[in-house]
């Protein structure tokens, strides 16, 4: 007479709970290492970053804002349409 209850081939519930606990532990360890990396990242104060950004914007010419910097010479403007040259192109 066959036994009324059989153990499934997938294993018992304890192994499944243990594997879930291992998975959770691994995820927590990965999160912990990412947070440690974030702590090691160099940081600067917001006031320093904003002053640096303001200085960059004041000192760097933006050709897309002619109202602020004035009209740009076509030779200096990287966004101006390129003039075709009078030489041949070999393909």
């Amino acid at each position: 007479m066959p036994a009324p209850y059989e153990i499934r081939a997938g294993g018992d519930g304890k192994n499944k709970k243990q594997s879930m606990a291992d998975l959770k532990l691994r995820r927590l360890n990965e999160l912990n290492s990412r947070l440690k990396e974030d702590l090691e990242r160099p940081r600067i104060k917001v006031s320093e970053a904003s002053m640096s950004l303001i200085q960059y914007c004041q000192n760097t010419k933006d050709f897309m804002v002619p109202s602020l910097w004035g009209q740009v010479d076509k030779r200096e403007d990287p966004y101006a349409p390129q003039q075709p040259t009078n030489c041949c192109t070999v393909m």
Side-chain angles (χ1 to χ4, degrees):
M1 182 170 190
Y5 299 104
E6 294 180 353
I7 297 176
R8 294 184 182 179
D12 59 341
K14 288 183 181 180
N15 286 339
K16 187 174 181 181
K17 287 181 182 180
Q18 182 64 34
S19 66
M20 290 298 290
D22 290 339
L23 179 63
K24 286 181 182 181
L25 178 63
R26 187 172 63 221
R27 286 182 180 170
L28 284 173
N29 285 335
E30 290 172 359
L31 175 63
N32 192 19
S33 66
R34 284 193 304 261
L35 290 173
K36 284 181 182 179
E37 289 173 5
D38 278 348
L39 280 176
E40 293 172 0
R41 188 173 297 134
R43 306 199 186 276
I44 61 172
K45 294 180 180 178
V46 174
S47 58
E48 292 175 22
S50 59
M51 286 303 297
S52 173
L53 183 61
I54 289 170
Q55 288 175 353
Y56 175 81
C57 292
Q58 289 175 343
N59 297 330
T60 305
K61 217 176 207 184
D62 187 358
F63 297 111
M64 298 299 284
V65 189
S67 62
L68 180 64
W69 293 99
Q71 291 298 323
V72 179
D73 187 18
K74 295 290 183 190
R75 289 177 275 141
E76 293 180 13
D77 189 1
Y79 302 109
Q82 299 294 322
Q83 298 294 330
T85 58
N86 292 334
C87 65
C88 299
T89 303
V90 178
M91 292 185 162

